[in-house]
Structure formats: C-alpha cells, structure tokens
C-alpha cells in the first residue's frame, strides 16, 4: 500500500471518527430505509445497489476477485484475538485489520482482501446500521461509492467493499456479472479461521517470494481443547528453496513437512505463543 495514501487516510479517519452517522446528500433522516430484517444491507439506508454476497470463507472472496488476482486472504476476526494480532503483523498491510474499530459504528467481524495489478481491495463484514453520507458520492454500475479521504472509497453492503477507487470498481464489475478469479485450485469449502492463497506468478511480493505455482494456508482454532491452532499449508510445484524454508520452519516449530510428486505440505499444531513466528515464516519472503 502507498504509505503517503495510508497516512492521508488515517488523518481523514481521525476527523470522521467523531461523527456517529451521516446523511446522503439531498436526503433527510426520514428517508433512510427501515427494514424488518436488521441484518439486511438495506439497513445502511444508502441509495443505489448494495453488496449482498456470501462471506463464509476464502472461496466467497475469490468469487468477488478480478481474474488477475495474485493473492487473497480471509480471516474471522471474531474467532481469536491472538490469531488476529498475529495476522495484522504478518499479512500485507490492511486498513481493516489495523483501523477496523474506527471505520464504522460497529466492529468488523470478518475481513477479506485481494491483491492484483499492484493494487488491492478489502471486504468488511459488519452488522448493518443506519448511516449515510453528507457529501458527493461516486456512482458506478448502480453502486454509490463513498469517498474516504482522497484515495479510498467504500461501497456499502455485506460485505462492504473498501479500497482505491479503481480496485473497488473492478470488484464491482465481478459482482455485477464479470469473470472472477479461477486460478486458485487449492481453495476449497473447508472452514478455517484464517485462509490465505497466493500464486507464484505474483513474484517477490508473495509469501516465500512466490517460490511455487500455488500456495494455500488454512489455520483453525484447535478442536482438541488445547490453546492453539491446527495448521495446513500446501504448495504446488514448490521450488527447492521454498521446500527448504518450509522444512526448516517445520523443524523449528515441531510441525511436519512432506512432499509427494509436485506438491508439498506443512501441517501440525501451533501454540498461541508460537503462531506469530510460524506466520512470519510462511508469509514472509
């Protein structure tokens, strides 16, 4: 993420954080939609189309991702504070993870991000609440994009889209019927608290510098009653260097790394105290 743009956004956020809610331009409070279902995106009271998409895992994120997506992740922020803290340090810089409690009048429960063409878009799952906006909106394909500072916009719904305007527009194109990313063959419907997927074609900015054709990570709170996480990291066509890094990490963290044909897999139990170290090893260069 552009550091200057990030700093400008934080400044704008400080100004907006004291405002409880906003009204759309030319709208009065009586015009805000009221629905019988408090979980409906219409509760936001924003004019135009609203995002209404399943958001239970990484597969749902990829269904909203442009074709040229190189990396994506999904995290259940409500599951484990320990895992969320580790993810916010080791994943690519995310406004939702760092400033999620200041963006809306309710907390972000689940978050996804896709990265493509040197840009990114975030997806924030929040409980709908009456809101609006007291300035101009940017219409696009029926959606009303709300500017946040000078560099970012958001399109309300479940999930709410957030990011640079062009990136959000590309996600809206997919939601509106465009072709989504279909290159992530390791992503399935198995549930997890944190899911990460990457393609080696993304190069040095990818986990382990993209030394593979495809990478997939699933982390779930341990079901054995222990305080920690079950982890499975899979690689298709890992390079010798990537296999060595994964094997070294497994040895240091009491995990198992095995390979079969063109695939490699690292798996095992990770304690709460060790999860940041393991994530840094898997998601670092």
């Amino acid at each position: 993420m552009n550091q200057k743009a990030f700093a400008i956004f934080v400044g704008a956020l400080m100004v907006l954080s004291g405002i409880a809610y906003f009204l759309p331009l030319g709208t009065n409070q009586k015009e805000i939609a009221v629905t019988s279902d408090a979980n409906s995106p219409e509760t936001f009271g924003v004019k135009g189309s609203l995002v209404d998409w399943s958001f239970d895992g990484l597969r749902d994120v990829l269904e909203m991702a442009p074709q040229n997506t190189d990396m994506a992740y999904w995290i259940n922020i409500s599951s484990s504070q320990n895992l969320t803290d580790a993810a916010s340090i080791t994943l690519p810089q995310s406004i939702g993870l760092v400033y999620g409690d200041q963006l809306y009048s309710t907390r972000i429960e689940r978050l996804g991000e896709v990265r493509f063409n040197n840009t990114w878009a975030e997806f924030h799952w929040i409980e709908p609440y009456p809101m609006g906006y007291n300035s101009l909106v940017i219409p696009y394909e029926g959606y009303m994009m709300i500017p946040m500072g000078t560099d970012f916009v958001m399109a309300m719904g479940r999930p709410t889209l957030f990011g640079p305007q062009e990136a959000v527009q590309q996600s809206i194109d997919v939601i509106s019927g465009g072709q989504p990313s279909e290159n992530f063959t390791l992503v399935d419907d198995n549930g997890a608290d944190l899911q990460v997927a990457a393609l080696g074609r993304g190069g040095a900015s990818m986990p382990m510098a993209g030394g593979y054709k495809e990478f997939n990570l699933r982390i779930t709170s341990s079901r054995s009653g222990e305080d920690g996480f079950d982890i499975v990291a899979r690689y298709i066509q890992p390079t010798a260097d990537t296999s060595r890094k994964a094997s070294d990490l497994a040895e240091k963290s009491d995990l198992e790394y095995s390979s079969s044909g063109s695939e490699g897999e690292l798996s095992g139990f990770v304690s709460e105290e060790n999860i940041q170290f393991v994530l840094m090893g898997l998601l670092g260069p």
Side-chain angles (χ1 to χ4, degrees):
M1 181 185 302
N2 182 281
Q3 297 296 321
K4 180 179 180 181
F6 189 82
I8 293 174
F9 164 76
V10 173
L13 190 60
M14 290 178 179
V15 174
L16 295 175
S17 61
I19 303 175
Y21 66 93
F22 311 93
L23 294 176
L25 186 64
T27 304
N28 61 57
Q29 189 169 359
K30 294 180 180 180
E31 291 177 326
I32 292 182
V34 177
T35 68
S36 58
D37 182 5
N39 290 321
S40 168
E42 294 180 3
T43 301
F44 287 115
V46 177
K47 291 183 176 181
S49 299
L50 296 165
V51 181
D52 191 359
W53 205 271
S54 297
F55 200 63
D56 296 319
L58 187 55
R59 184 182 290 275
D60 294 326
V61 173
L62 291 172
E63 289 177 353
M64 297 180 281
Q67 276 189 301
N68 50 2
T69 295
D70 294 321
M71 182 177 177
Y73 67 82
W74 178 94
I75 181 171
N76 183 355
I77 295 176
S78 303
S79 174
S80 165
Q81 188 61 51
N82 185 281
L83 180 60
T84 298
D85 290 343
S88 66
I89 293 172
T90 56
L91 287 169
Q93 191 176 54
S94 163
I95 287 177
L97 279 177
V98 178
Y99 295 100
D101 59 347
Q102 300 177 49
L103 285 174
Y104 312 101
S105 292
T106 185
R107 65 190 297 268
I108 298 175
E109 299 175 5
R110 286 168 263 164
L111 181 147
E113 180 173 310
V114 295
R115 306 183 76 84
F116 53 95
N117 286 359
N118 296 316
T119 190
W120 52 273
E122 293 186 15
F123 307 85
H124 302 158
W125 187 266
I126 61 175
E127 287 295 324
Y129 61 93
M131 65 165 293
Y133 186 63
N134 63 350
S135 187
L136 297 176
V137 295
I138 306 171
Y140 185 76
E141 298 293 339
Y143 294 84
M144 300 296 111
M145 297 187 297
I146 300 174
M148 295 291 289
T150 59
D151 295 277
F152 308 122
V153 300
M154 57 186 181
M156 303 307 299
R158 302 197 90 189
T160 289
L161 311 185
F162 181 93
Q165 180 177 332
E166 184 178 348
V168 171
Q169 287 176 338
Q170 290 189 54
S171 293
I172 290 175
D173 288 340
V174 177
I175 292 171
S176 301
Q179 188 70 24
S181 176
E182 297 178 336
N183 298 309
F184 295 88
T185 63
L186 293 176
V187 177
D188 55 30
D189 292 324
N190 291 328
D193 297 317
L194 172 63
Q195 299 168 282
V196 182
L199 301 177
R201 71 183 187 190
S205 63
M206 297 295 100
M208 289 197 179
Y212 42 77
K213 180 179 181 181
E214 184 179 350
F215 164 72
N216 179 254
L217 171 65
R218 289 189 293 110
I219 298 180
T220 307
S221 295
S222 177
R223 295 182 174 87
S224 65
E226 298 181 80
D227 293 330
F229 308 92
D230 296 322
I231 181 172
V232 178
R234 299 174 62 194
Y235 301 88
I236 294 180
Q237 297 179 16
T239 63
D241 186 53
T242 292
S243 293
R244 178 188 56 78
K245 290 178 181 177
S247 181
D248 288 348
L249 179 63
E251 184 176 352
K252 294 175 182 177
S253 305
D254 197 22
L255 300 170
E256 293 184 5
Y257 180 75
S258 60
S259 59
S260 177
S262 62
E263 297 191 12
E265 179 176 302
L266 181 149
S267 62
F269 173 81
V270 180
S271 67
E272 289 185 341
E273 294 76 16
N274 205 34
I275 187 62
Q276 182 176 320
F277 174 80
V278 172
L279 279 179
M280 290 180 67
L282 288 171
L283 302 179

